[in-house]
Amino acid sequence: MEFKLYDTLTREKRVFTPLDPANVRMYVCGPTVYDFAHIGNARPVIVFDVLFRLLRHIYGAAHVTYVRNITDVDDKINARAAEEYPALPLNEAIRKVTEKTDQQFHEDVAALGCLPPSAEPRATEHIAEMRTLIERLVKAGNAYVEGDHVLFSVASMPDYGRLARRSLDEMIAGARVEVAPYKRAPMDFVLWKPSKPGEPSWPSPCGIAAPGRPGWHIECSAMSWKHLGETFDIHGGGIDLVFPHHENEIAQSRCAFHTPVMANYWVHNGFLQVEGEKMAKSLGNFVTIRDLLRDWPGETVRLAMLQTHYRQPLNWTTNGLREAQRTLDLWYELTGDAAPGLLCADTLDAVADDLNSPKAVASLHELRGEAAKGSKAAAGSLKASAQLLGLLQETASEWAGFRPASISIDENKVTALIAARNAARRVKDFRESDRIRDELAKIGVVLKDTKDGTTWEIAR
Ligand code: AMP
Ligand code: ZN
């Protein structure tokens, strides 16, 4: 089989060839942990989980290393810590905020069916590596010290801007670059800066006496180096990270290690949008993963995400969720607790074609058609193939047992009404049994009469 991946750097879909098939290495920029993550943040997590699953399928689970970092140095974290724990020393308050948020994030993405990455390094645990990189860059003439800051000199790297495909002039015009007295050129970016009062601080590199803190971009260069080496296979994240974050990571890592590339494939997911606009905390148009999980099973949210190709913008709607829910209800009904069968070649080919998840879902619909005609092999194959996308991982009864939190239903009352309806049916009082069915429908309960008795679910 052939596996192709679209690379943002070369702007083409290329056959994937790992540097070392015994250890395929992927780095994805992870969350900044200060509050519940929104469903836009979940898009890269789900997309790269599918890529992780595909790599594990091709190369073997023991031969893939997936690193997703945790950004725990950030102004938003500092602000949240001061607000929530005013009585605590800052470092302790920050730790409390990041630990809590970190745990919430892990619960959320596990519920979305995402495998844990091989490593989840934290920025605060890699300050020494950051200092080493910064000192190397200064020594090599790619960075300079000015006013207790260390800055990367963009002019020192001839092909700076290759990932974003912008000239320096365009970048200056397009970005709201901070003009600061310590910068020699407007596009130079911060590797290290002095900490203000009330900010976390560490001993500075390059003989700077004042304690300071790292810039954002250097974190990922340091953590990918430590966990994956100077050069690795895949670097991923949302499309908003192409510039300046990934452009600057490339500049730092390539100049520090004198390598022609940082990663061989740059993979970026498109935005998850609400009414044509990027979902973002700052715009206030967001819904948290946690809120969605109260009303929808994690797999429904996951399928709603995978119904659009990862590079396309994805419009987030309740209709998309409803459609995913109906699809999964059908799939679970047909596969039940059957053992996974053979992985379908069409599903695998679709996922291996630059993660074409909508095409993979179409192949699953075809399997469902076969299974509906009674093919046991197709049912087993549907299950195995859906699992490549991280779907159909629950038992049929777990799936049927999900109850949305926003619809409160008295389960005892439902059970009693079903018993009364069964009694009416036994004496052929169909008026009464229909009346009870309608009464249940009014409170949002749909009955299903099967050969094993009557089950119920919530209407959506
Ligand atoms: P942040 O915590 O904002 O740095 O974002 C963490 C990850 O989520 C990054 O890879 C972002 O590119 C990604 N991301 C944030 N918002 C969206 C969105 N609306 N759609 C898709 N990806 C997003
Ligand atoms: Zn990063």
Side-chain angles (χ1 to χ4, degrees):
M1 66 165 281
E2 197 174 62
F3 168 29
K4 284 184 165 171
L5 211 46
Y6 182 85
D7 173 24
T8 311
L9 188 75
T10 53
R11 303 292 197 273
E12 59 183 3
K13 200 154 80 170
R14 286 190 286 124
V15 171
F16 179 78
T17 318
L19 289 162
D20 173 8
N23 185 17
V24 182
R25 289 161 287 159
M26 171 162 82
Y27 185 93
V28 174
C29 294
T32 305
V33 284
Y34 69 100
D35 203 349
F36 283 108
H38 62 68
I39 192 65
N41 300 130
R43 193 170 191 197
V45 182
I46 292 175
V47 164
F48 289 100
D49 181 68
V50 172
L51 180 49
F52 186 35
R53 286 170 187 273
L54 177 68
L55 292 170
R56 285 159 59 102
H57 173 78
I58 300 174
Y59 299 98
H63 302 288
V64 183
T65 308
Y66 170 24
V67 177
R68 184 181 65 212
N69 73 291
I70 289 171
T71 295
D72 57 356
V73 186
D74 187 89
D75 288 340
K76 291 187 281 275
I77 300 175
N78 303 339
R80 182 58 60 99
E83 186 185 305
E84 277 194 28
Y85 306 100
L88 287 182
L90 185 70
N91 279 352
E92 245 175 82
I94 287 177
R95 214 195 47 213
K96 272 194 181 287
V97 168
T98 60
E99 273 176 3
K100 185 173 77 181
T101 316
D102 194 27
Q103 195 195 335
Q104 289 161 350
F105 177 75
H106 282 123
E107 289 164 3
D108 286 350
V109 299
L112 296 176
C114 298
L115 298 167
S118 323
E120 286 188 277
R122 290 170 156 265
T124 50
E125 286 162 11
H126 294 76
I127 304 286
E129 286 83 358
M130 295 181 212
R131 270 198 301 260
T132 305
L133 280 184
I134 292 170
E135 288 182 343
R136 276 196 195 194
L137 288 169
V138 171
K139 212 172 272 169
N142 296 104
Y144 57 91
V145 180
E146 190 71 62
D148 288 345
H149 289 68
V150 188
L151 289 119
F152 186 92
S153 165
V154 163
S156 75
M157 189 191 190
D159 55 358
Y160 181 83
R162 245 181 79 199
L163 181 71
R165 296 238 171 144
R166 298 192 220 184
S167 69
L168 266 184
D169 287 344
E170 281 169 333
M171 285 187 268
I172 294 168
R176 271 172 291 155
V177 285
E178 212 185 329
V179 198
Y182 48 80
K183 279 190 187 179
R184 288 186 194 159
M187 288 311 293
D188 291 354
F189 59 89
V190 168
L191 301 174
W192 190 268
K193 58 185 170 185
S195 299
K196 299 192 186 99
E199 288 181 355
S201 63
W202 292 269
S204 294
C206 310
I208 298 168
R213 51 185 281 210
W216 170 34
H217 318 301
I218 196 72
E219 293 179 4
C220 288
S221 285
M223 289 186 270
S224 59
W225 173 39
K226 170 85 182 285
H227 295 270
L228 297 175
E230 295 179 357
T231 302
F232 47 95
D233 296 295
I234 300 168
H235 195 317
I239 191 83
D240 51 335
L241 299 184
V242 170
F243 187 83
H245 186 52
H246 288 166
E247 192 73 59
N248 292 352
E249 280 189 39
I250 292 176
Q252 296 162 161
S253 295
R254 282 188 48 206
C255 292
F257 307 127
H258 307 288
T259 46
V261 296
M262 179 185 189
N264 276 334
Y265 300 83
W266 288 84
V267 181
H268 294 101
N269 64 270
F271 286 141
L272 182 144
Q273 305 181 323
V274 188
E275 300 187 7
E277 208 167 17
K278 178 194 176 193
M279 180 180 283
K281 275 263 156 78
S282 56
L283 295 173
N285 62 349
F286 65 94
V287 45
T288 64
I289 305 172
R290 191 57 64 102
D291 281 342
L292 279 168
L293 290 173
R294 277 191 246 281
D295 279 341
W296 303 91
E299 286 194 6
T300 301
V301 177
R302 186 177 175 102
L303 177 57
M305 195 78 82
L306 294 175
Q307 272 163 342
T308 302
H309 187 260
Y310 77 95
R311 285 196 280 123
Q312 298 299 320
L314 160 59
N315 221 21
W316 191 252
T317 63
T318 307
N319 263 344
L321 285 161
R322 282 202 195 102
E323 191 187 321
Q325 180 75 27
R326 276 195 296 271
T327 299
L328 284 164
D329 281 340
L330 274 177
W331 291 356
Y332 270 104
E333 201 174 302
L334 281 167
T335 54
D337 288 327
L342 289 178
L343 178 61
C344 164
D346 287 348
T347 315
L348 180 58
D349 285 347
V351 180
D353 181 13
D354 192 32
L355 309 183
N356 193 336
S357 56
K359 202 169 165 200
V361 170
S363 73
L364 298 175
H365 282 306
E366 268 179 40
L367 287 172
R368 181 196 53 82
E370 296 295 308
K373 287 182 213 145
S375 163
K376 286 244 164 26
S381 184
L382 171 56
K383 187 156 204 171
S385 311
Q387 287 181 349
L388 183 64
L389 294 177
L391 299 166
L392 297 189
Q393 303 197 81
E394 297 193 9
T395 63
S397 64
E398 277 167 346
W399 181 257
F402 181 86
R403 301 281 174 263
S406 66
I407 303 172
S408 85
I409 282 176
D410 179 346
E411 302 212 6
N412 290 332
K413 184 176 165 193
V414 173
T415 314
L417 281 169
I418 289 175
R421 176 170 170 270
N422 285 341
R425 281 175 8 138
R426 273 196 297 275
V427 297
K428 300 206 173 356
D429 183 354
F430 295 119
R431 264 183 65 176
E432 175 64 1
S433 77
D434 286 350
R435 189 197 63 73
I436 296 175
R437 176 188 280 276
D438 292 346
E439 183 181 340
L440 282 165
K442 272 192 206 130
I443 57 169
V445 169
V446 186
L447 298 183
K448 272 194 183 162
D449 294 315
T450 70
K451 61 180 185 336
D452 304 320
T454 304
T455 62
W456 63 279
E457 59 189 43
I458 288 162
R460 289 187 184 273

